[in-house]
Amino acid sequence: MTANGENWWVYRGTGLPHDGIDGLPDAPSWRAFGDVDPERLPAAPAAAADGAVARRLGRDRQAAAYQADAREIQLVNLALHLRRPLLITGKPGVGKSTLAYAVAHELGLGPVLRWPITSRATLRDGLYAYDAVGRLHDAGIAGGSGGGQAPGIGRYLRLGPLGTALLPWRHPRVLLIDEIDKSDLDLPNDLLNVFEEGEYTIPELSRLGEGDQEVMTADGARTAVVSGGTVRCAQFPFTVLTSNAEREFPAAFLRRCVRLEIQPPDADRLAAMVSAHLGGDPATAATRTALIAEFLRRQREDNAELANDQLLNALLMATRGLWSRPEDREIIENVLLRPLNES
């Protein structure tokens, strides 16, 4: 049981890694996907998917420092228990994407599989990519050299972030579908079947019959075996979809999601976030209080869109000396705290 009595929580919002995911109850019957013994399934890789160690460590620090409030913790746990996507809306910079990294960090679910959405994104982009031209080219080279053996298809097929998340993992992977409101109108509806079924078929592999094919994944150099051309999850991934609330979504899409609206943080939450990132040096307490107050005043009175990382940047530079003179403060206030909605 957690300190506040929420004994059904798996994610606690503490930022401290723990094995609470092992206590996640079985999926409800209408959201159960696999019947394989979890101990026989692979665990998520520990290393960063892209091998960028410095960036991964930076993400880890952001994740550990994330200040989740009670409602965010409640809804994350609802999504985990119900095996439903979590649709997060809120203004830019309030921490929508960071919440996905915070859950992955605390529950030890491996690197976040991030799918950044553009207006040209399609369902297949998230599932897999097949380099048919590259395979034909290599087959031509092999034939010309007298070998005559066409290269295997698996080395030319890479699963995307969504496709990798739907592999049969021991625990759910964390999938971040970032800025879903930028997508083509059809993408949310196209996702519905995958969200409901927890599986998809790769036609290029299914044509080869029931055999196994080793393919590349979104986890860098890590590969996976696909049987019969179908990828079927054992645990529905913890899926976070972020939106800046710039469009409406179909009702059929919304009813399959747990919906969370993140509000801009108040002074106490900002102070806790700053302390988690920058420490609690008493010598800078007055500067921090003043900058947090100015940050909130601009949001409240000027209707300015400001991101949390803008405040962190401003405070960092203020503690390094860019605060003592009026012209220094002007740089912080007019450059580092310039509203995102100001042209």
Side-chain angles (χ1 to χ4, degrees), residues 11-16 58-73 76 86 88-89 93-106 240 260-265 269-270 272-277 308 312:
Y11 169 67
R12 303 166 191 162
T14 63
L16 301 174
R59 277 294 192 185
D60 285 347
R61 284 190 287 268
Q62 282 185 309
Y66 186 81
Q67 303 294 310
D69 65 21
R71 181 166 177 78
E72 291 168 17
I73 297 171
V76 164
L86 181 66
I88 306 180
T89 58
V94 296
K96 300 186 296 294
S97 300
T98 306
L99 180 55
Y101 290 90
V103 173
H105 171 78
E106 183 175 315
V240 172
L260 166 64
E261 182 177 356
I262 294 185
Q263 299 294 334
R269 192 173 174 189
L270 284 174
M273 177 196 72
V274 168
S275 294
H277 279 283
N308 295 347
L312 288 174

Side-chain angles (χ1 to χ4, degrees), residues 15 41 63 137 163 195 212 237 240-241 256 284 303:
L41 297 174
H137 177 266
F195 285 168
D212 294 343
V240 172
L241 304 106
R256 288 167 170 83
T284 63
N303 200 29

Side-chain angles (χ1 to χ4, degrees), residues 55 83-84 99 135 145 155 276 313:
R55 179 166 177 79
R83 275 64 169 186
R84 288 294 186 185
L99 180 55
R135 188 180 184 215
S145 63
R155 59 187 288 192
N313 291 337

